[in-house]
């Protein structure tokens, strides 16, 4: 027990140490800053990405292709979180995996900074791989700093960590977006690389403050498993190289030969993963019932993220072409819209936490299913609201910036209603056998939603058309109504989870 240790025997930054970060283990400062700089680099690059893809000085693509690339990229980041967790569990351990991830992300941004269309997609791939490796493991290391799930500081520690995420996400478009749009696109991507370099440097300097558990490989691969894994990886890599070599030399290669397989994988893998868990005969009846209920939440989340993530693509591209991006007569870069969500998250998250507690004390807190229904209706409402600036633009006028701010505000309220609740219910409903994998399954809902957007864009659907926006908004509201109508059935399936 920590209470029985002497002061000299306590490792700096672990429970019981005198050195703290706002009353938390010193290691939280290391992880806070690492995540803040990683999010700074990621969200800054993401804010620039669709704008660079359509810009005459960038790759000068049409909006549908830009949206497809953006959506496939985001879906790939979340898809790779699952193998990222596996890699830490079986090969390197969380600490070394995060260090490798930071280096890969930095290299990816540097590759994006090269003024070449050929290296651009390689850079996107590297950032996606690095983000997948990091996303799955840095939160695990935050948990390692505390004395188990009952440590009273644990929730507060994750709250501070969440603030770091949003600080990075808020500052990134203001800095990287301004440099990218007003100075040089590639300088913007280089600034993202610098942000990740700062995050990696302070992670390596502060790694001594992390828990020893973060260096442990929980279930290391045996020599036989390593050999089998390497052989499988080499075979699949060889197949891919041969396939794309044939396509390339035959002269029929287009970007869709790359985007379509990733999109299909983004839709198929979530279905296959959930189906595998659902078919597991080792799960008892209670766990099977919970997984049936979880499918409702998963599908609802996929619909939510399908619309939500278009805030960075469809809505951003609309702002670039059809909005008056001014405040009191002062013009601002389009990428700055991406700072609206994180600053609202920081402002509203405490309000939501207080509201749920206040309602719980009165016995009136909405159930998980009702909160999901609320999130879906709100995300649908944000796209119904989007119809107003679309109508203004169709009339030949530029839409006011506040229309777009209002869209992001409604989406943020929806996010706070659904996203934290989804994270919580995932951990509560996970069968013991899949406890460490279920967070990756939750991220697959984002993959499925963005893959759907990508597939629509690849098919040539213009997501900025009034009819398509209306259809998506109606789908979300109807999905919310369905979850609300079947809320008692879902609650029954959840068993002892409340």
């Amino acid at each position: 027990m920590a209470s029985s240790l002497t002061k000299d025997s306590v490792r700096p930054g672990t429970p019981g140490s005198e050195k703290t970060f706002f009353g938390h283990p010193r290691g939280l400062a290391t992880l806070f800053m690492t995540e803040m700089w990683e999010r700074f680099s990621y969200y800054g690059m993401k804010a620039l990405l669709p704008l660079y893809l359509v810009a005459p000085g960038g790759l000068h693509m049409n909006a549908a292709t830009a949206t497809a690339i953006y959506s496939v990229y985001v879906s790939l980041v979340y898809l790779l979180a699952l193998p990222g967790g596996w890699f830490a569990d079986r090969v390197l351990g969380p600490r070394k995996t995060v260090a490798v991830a930071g280096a890969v992300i930095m290299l990816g941004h540097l590759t994006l900074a090269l003024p070449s269309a050929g290296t651009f997609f390689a850079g996107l791939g590297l950032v996606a791989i690095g983000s997948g490796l990091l996303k799955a493991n840095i939160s695990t290391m935050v948990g390692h700093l505390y004395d188990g799930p009952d440590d009273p500081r644990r929730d507060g520690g994750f709250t501070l960590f969440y603030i770091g995420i949003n600080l990075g996400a808020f500052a990134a478009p203001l800095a990287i977006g301004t440099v990218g749009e007003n100075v040089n696109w590639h300088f913007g991507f280089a600034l993202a690389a610098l942000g990740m370099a700062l995050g990696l440097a302070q992670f390596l300097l502060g790694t001594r403050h992390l828990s020893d558990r973060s260096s442990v490989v929980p279930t290391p691969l045996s020599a036989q498993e390593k050999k089998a894994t390497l052989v499988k990886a080499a075979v699949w890599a060889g197949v891919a190289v041969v396939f794309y070599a044939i396509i390339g030399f035959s002269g029929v290669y287009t970007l869709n030969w790359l985007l379509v397989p990733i999109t299909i994988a983004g839709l198929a893998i979530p279905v296959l993963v959930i189906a595998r868990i659902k078919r597991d005969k080792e799960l008892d009846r209670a766990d099977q019932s919970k997984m049936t209920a979880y499918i409702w939440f998963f599908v609802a989340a996929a619909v939510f993220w399908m619309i939500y993530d278009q805030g960075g693509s469809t809505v951003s591209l609309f702002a670039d072409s059809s909005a008056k991006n001014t405040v009191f007569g002062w013009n601002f870069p389009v990428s700055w819209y991406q700072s609206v969500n994180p600053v609202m998250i920081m402002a509203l998250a405490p309000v939501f936490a207080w509201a749920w507690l206040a309602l719980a004390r009165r016995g009136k807190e909405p159930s998980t299913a009702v909160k999901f229904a609320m999130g879906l209706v709100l995300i649908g409402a944000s796209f119904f609201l989007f119809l107003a600036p679309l109508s203004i633009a169709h009339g030949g006028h530029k839409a006011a910036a506040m229309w777009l701010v209002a869209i992001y505000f409604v989406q943020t309220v929806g996010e706070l209603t659904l996203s934290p609740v989804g994270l919580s219910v995932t951990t509560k409903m996970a069968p013991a056998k899949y406890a460490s994998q279920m967070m990756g399954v939750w991220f697959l809902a984002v993959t499925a939603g963005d893959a759907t957007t990508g597939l629509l864009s690849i098919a040539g659907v213009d997501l900025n058309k009034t009819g398509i926006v209306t259809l998506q908004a109606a789908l979300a509201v109807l999905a919310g109504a369905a979850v609300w109508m079947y809320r008692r059935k879902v609650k029954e399936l959840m068993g002892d989870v409340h």
Side-chain angles (χ1 to χ4, degrees):
M1 295 292 291
S3 59
S4 67
L5 296 174
T6 65
K7 183 174 74 173
D8 292 335
S9 67
V10 176
R11 181 184 176 91
T14 55
S17 170
E18 291 182 352
K19 291 183 178 181
T20 63
F21 176 65
F22 294 105
H24 291 269
R26 173 65 180 80
L28 183 62
T30 298
L31 299 175
F32 176 99
M33 294 297 290
T34 303
E35 182 72 352
M36 185 189 77
W37 282 115
E38 188 274 332
R39 293 290 87 182
F40 174 85
S41 68
Y42 175 77
Y43 279 102
M45 185 278 289
K46 206 169 88 162
L48 280 186
L49 179 58
L51 303 175
Y52 172 73
L53 292 172
V54 301
L59 296 187
H60 206 188
M61 296 177 172
N62 60 48
T65 304
T67 301
I69 293 170
Y70 177 92
S71 302
V72 168
Y73 165 72
V74 175
S75 72
L76 191 59
V77 167
Y78 286 91
L79 181 63
L80 291 172
L82 205 59
W86 176 90
F87 189 78
D89 285 346
R90 307 300 309 272
V91 183
L92 279 186
R95 186 185 301 190
K96 288 182 179 177
T97 300
V98 167
V100 170
V104 172
I105 292 169
M106 183 178 67
L107 180 61
H109 288 305
L110 286 172
T111 306
L112 288 172
L114 299 174
S116 167
T119 57
F120 180 80
F121 293 102
L124 274 186
L126 287 170
V127 176
I129 291 168
S131 297
L133 287 170
L134 187 139
K135 180 174 285 294
N137 295 297
I138 195 163
S139 297
T140 300
M141 290 197 292
V142 174
H144 288 167
L145 294 171
Y146 298 95
D147 217 2
D150 296 326
D151 190 320
R153 299 171 300 170
R154 187 182 178 93
D155 286 352
F158 274 97
T159 300
L160 275 174
F161 183 70
Y162 195 58
I163 290 172
I165 292 172
N166 285 286
L167 280 174
F170 168 69
L174 304 181
I176 295 172
T178 302
V179 171
E181 288 189 64
N182 293 345
V183 182
N184 181 282
W185 295 108
H186 299 286
F187 287 174
F189 294 128
L191 186 56
L194 176 61
M196 190 64 254
L198 290 171
L200 179 60
Q202 70 82 41
F203 176 77
L204 295 174
L205 289 171
T207 192
R208 67 186 185 278
H209 298 297
L210 302 178
S211 168
D212 290 335
R213 289 171 60 199
S214 296
S215 298
V216 174
V217 182
T219 53
L221 291 171
S222 65
Q224 187 176 359
E225 286 175 320
K226 281 182 182 178
K227 183 179 178 181
T229 302
L230 287 171
V231 168
K232 285 180 183 177
V235 168
W236 281 108
V239 168
V241 168
V242 170
F243 175 77
Y244 282 104
I246 293 170
I247 295 298
F249 286 120
S250 66
V252 299
Y253 177 81
T254 65
L255 192 56
N256 283 349
W257 282 101
L258 180 63
L259 297 179
V260 171
I262 297 174
T263 305
I264 292 171
L267 290 170
I269 290 174
V271 173
L272 293 173
V273 169
I274 290 179
R276 180 174 62 85
I277 297 173
K278 192 75 179 69
R279 289 199 308 265
D280 191 335
K281 290 184 169 54
E282 292 182 17
L283 300 185
D284 60 25
R285 183 177 295 179
D287 280 336
Q288 287 284 0
S289 179
K290 289 173 186 175
M291 283 306 301
T292 300
Y294 189 75
I295 290 171
W296 278 84
F297 297 128
F298 184 92
V299 173
V303 173
F304 179 90
W305 295 117
M306 178 186 74
I307 295 176
Y308 178 91
D309 277 343
Q310 287 182 60
S313 55
T314 305
V315 180
S316 183
L317 291 173
F318 173 83
D320 186 41
S321 63
S322 304
K324 287 187 281 189
N325 304 310
T326 61
V327 175
F328 302 117
W330 175 71
N331 290 307
F332 59 87
V334 175
S335 53
W336 282 25
Y337 284 112
Q338 302 310 307
S339 289
V340 173
N341 170 261
V343 76
M344 286 182 175
I345 287 284
M346 289 187 285
L348 295 176
V351 176
F352 270 75
W354 171 83
W356 295 143
L357 281 173
L359 288 169
R361 289 192 196 101
R362 300 175 186 175
K364 295 182 178 179
E365 183 182 7
S367 67
T368 300
V370 171
K371 288 176 182 176
F372 263 71
M374 291 166 62
L376 284 166
V377 170
L378 284 165
I379 202 68
S382 76
F383 260 34
F384 278 127
L385 185 60
F386 189 19
L387 294 175
L390 282 173
S391 177
I392 292 168
H394 288 160
H397 304 286
K398 294 274 189 177
M402 290 311 295
W403 280 113
L404 304 184
V405 172
I407 292 168
Y408 289 120
F409 172 76
V410 176
Q411 290 188 343
T412 300
V413 175
E415 179 188 359
L416 287 168
T417 305
L418 182 143
S419 184
V421 179
L423 289 168
S424 176
V425 80
T426 297
T427 58
K428 290 176 182 177
M429 294 175 67
K433 182 178 178 180
Y434 297 100
S436 62
Q437 298 178 42
M438 282 300 287
M439 198 54 70
V441 173
W442 170 252
F443 288 141
L444 288 179
V446 185
T447 298
D450 281 298
T452 302
T453 302
L455 196 61
L456 289 171
S457 298
I458 291 167
V461 176
D462 185 351
L463 296 172
N464 262 316
K465 290 293 185 183
T466 302
I468 298 299
V469 170
T470 304
L471 189 62
Q472 292 182 84
L475 172 64
V477 171
L478 288 172
V483 172
W484 185 83
M485 286 173 62
Y486 286 91
R487 65 193 184 282
R488 291 186 179 86
K489 177 65 176 176
V490 173
K491 188 175 182 180
E492 183 183 321
L493 290 168
M494 291 170 69
D496 58 355
V497 175
H498 300 293

